[in-house]
Amino acid sequence: MRRLRWLLLAVVTFVGLAAPHARVQAQTLDLTFRFLPDLTSPAVEPVRAFLPGSFNDWGPNNSGRIQIGAPSQMEFVAEENEYRKTVSLEVGETYQYKVHYHNNGDGSNFTWITDPLNPVFVGPNADSQIEVADPMFLQAAREADSGGNVVAVSVGLFGTAAFTRIDFEVNETAYTNGLDFYDADSGIFRFELPASVAPGSRFALEAEDAQGRVVSFDIGVPPPTVVDQARPVGLQDGITYSDAEPGTVFLSLLAPSKSYVYVLGDFNDWQPDPAYLMQRDVVSEDEVYWWLEMNLTPGETYAFQYLVDGTQQINDPYVPLVLDPNNDRFIPESVFPDIPAYPDEANGI
């Protein structure tokens, strides 16, 4: 909470009195949220979708089920194969929400998910979270085809002043005509690529409004060149420690049908680094291993994840210890003293 410091003034001739019950009205923004069902993992085909959150009494819902026609129901935009919902929210406030969709006609079969387009989530239910700013961007997306290749990029751009400049990049190609692809009424920027690019490709954008304020983001990485090389003999899934060289560690991940894998961790600031790009060992179509040799300090504890195709951050399925942002708080000190804090960077690139 910011504390206000009052300055007392001695007044000789007269005192001005403020009008009673004066109140400053909160500033609001109309934000358009989107749900792209084909970008969930796996892709889904809902009958209808909803945007329940702290701003609409979570639907409202009854024992988890949201009724057809509820205030949180989203509108389906067939041309883009996506659902949209515009909500008026206060600038400076933080809100939690999720996506809810019906799998059948009457809504008796339903699903709740964390927003696939928002890497920020909190709490035991992994609720998506946003902090409303002026200006701001929301839900940057790399829209993919059935093969996983990116065919379009999109994002919501919102503010109280009109945007006068939008520059963006896809991998190493820069564009300065972003306003041509921005719909000011919905607040949605969308650009269809002239040719598809690899999954997880870099999408960066910078927008400036009429007041000179700038908002920007940068997600993904340009597709790297992968080295094909067989794994050393004796390597097991997960972590293998070298007996001959203390501090030498090998990581191995089985992940067929993927384009590239990086190792992210507190040893590289959780950023894609060419030195931590894993090598590929193709045994068969269904047996593709990604592996990396690393030199670490013996006796130290390290946290890490895998970044797969620039879009998914996953843990190693074979590690004996996994940090969990939702459940670690329930582990008593007597069971695990000084449990490491879950790194914020592990929520998403």
Side-chain angles (χ1 to χ4, degrees):
M1 178 182 294
R2 185 175 64 180
R3 299 184 182 274
L4 299 179
R5 184 175 62 186
W6 293 93
L7 180 63
L8 302 180
L9 299 178
V11 180
V12 177
T13 56
F14 64 91
V15 177
L17 298 179
H21 310 299
R23 182 180 179 183
V24 177
Q25 187 172 0
Q27 187 180 56
T28 62
L29 279 183
D30 290 338
L31 304 184
T32 300
F33 291 79
R34 300 179 297 149
F35 170 47
L36 283 62
D38 53 331
L39 291 189
T40 61
S41 184
V44 296
E45 295 182 1
V47 175
R48 65 189 64 86
F50 303 79
L51 188 80
S54 57
F55 39 76
N56 58 21
D57 195 26
W58 292 96
N61 72 88
N62 183 6
S63 299
R65 180 178 176 180
I66 300 178
Q67 295 296 327
I68 301 172
S72 59
Q73 184 164 340
M74 307 181 79
E75 178 185 358
F76 182 62
V77 182
E79 297 82 0
E80 314 296 348
N81 189 32
E82 67 183 40
Y83 292 85
R84 295 182 182 179
K85 180 67 176 178
T86 300
V87 183
S88 183
L89 302 178
E90 292 188 11
V91 174
E93 294 296 320
T94 298
Y95 299 88
Q96 287 80 44
Y97 68 98
K98 299 198 82 162
V99 172
H100 174 102
Y101 58 86
H102 290 171
N103 299 296
N104 60 356
D106 65 6
S108 58
N109 186 328
F110 56 84
T111 304
W112 289 76
I113 62 171
T114 304
D115 182 359
L117 298 181
N118 183 357
V120 182
F121 55 87
V122 297
N125 296 319
D127 297 328
S128 299
Q129 178 170 285
I130 64 163
E131 181 176 355
V132 182
D134 180 23
M136 68 176 293
F137 71 87
L138 180 67
Q139 298 179 307
R142 290 160 293 184
E143 303 177 27
D145 59 17
S146 58
N149 292 313
V150 179
V151 295
V153 291
S154 58
V155 67
L157 295 172
F158 307 98
T160 54
F163 288 101
T164 57
R165 176 180 63 87
I166 299 177
D167 301 334
F168 66 103
E169 296 181 28
V170 178
N171 290 332
E172 305 301 329
T173 303
Y175 301 85
T176 59
N177 60 336
L179 286 173
D180 295 342
F181 309 99
Y182 178 63
D183 179 9
D185 292 333
S186 66
I188 303 301
F189 164 90
R190 187 173 188 273
F191 175 71
E192 294 186 6
L193 302 177
S196 63
V197 295
S201 289
R202 179 172 178 259
F203 172 32
L205 182 146
E206 181 178 279
E208 182 177 2
D209 69 9
Q211 297 181 23
R213 300 175 299 181
V214 175
V215 62
S216 64
F217 66 87
D218 192 331
I219 60 173
V221 293
T225 301
V226 173
V227 175
D228 287 297
Q229 186 169 334
R231 297 186 301 165
V233 176
L235 221 61
Q236 62 185 13
D237 291 331
I239 304 174
T240 302
Y241 298 94
S242 172
D243 294 329
E245 301 179 33
T248 297
V249 178
F250 295 90
L251 301 179
S252 179
L253 175 70
L254 175 62
S257 303
K258 303 302 179 183
S259 299
Y260 58 90
V261 181
Y262 282 96
V263 179
L264 308 181
D266 45 21
F267 40 78
N268 61 10
D269 294 327
W270 299 89
Q271 295 300 313
D273 185 326
Y276 294 90
L277 175 64
M278 304 186 81
Q279 298 174 86
R280 178 173 53 195
D281 180 6
V282 182
V283 179
S284 66
E285 181 179 354
D286 298 325
E287 193 175 356
V288 180
Y289 292 94
W290 301 85
W291 67 277
L292 182 69
E293 178 181 349
M294 302 173 60
N295 294 308
L296 303 174
T297 303
E300 291 290 325
T301 300
Y302 296 89
F304 74 96
Q305 287 180 324
Y306 297 115
L307 174 62
V308 181
D309 282 354
T311 58
Q312 290 181 295
Q313 283 181 244
I314 63 173
N315 69 292
D316 190 314
Y318 293 94
V319 293
L321 175 64
V322 177
L323 297 179
D324 185 337
N326 299 318
N327 297 306
D328 284 354
R329 59 195 175 95
F330 299 114
I331 301 175
E333 186 75 10
S334 59
V335 174
F336 196 123
D338 300 323
I339 187 169
Y342 189 87
D344 292 337
E345 299 89 343
N347 276 348
I349 288 292

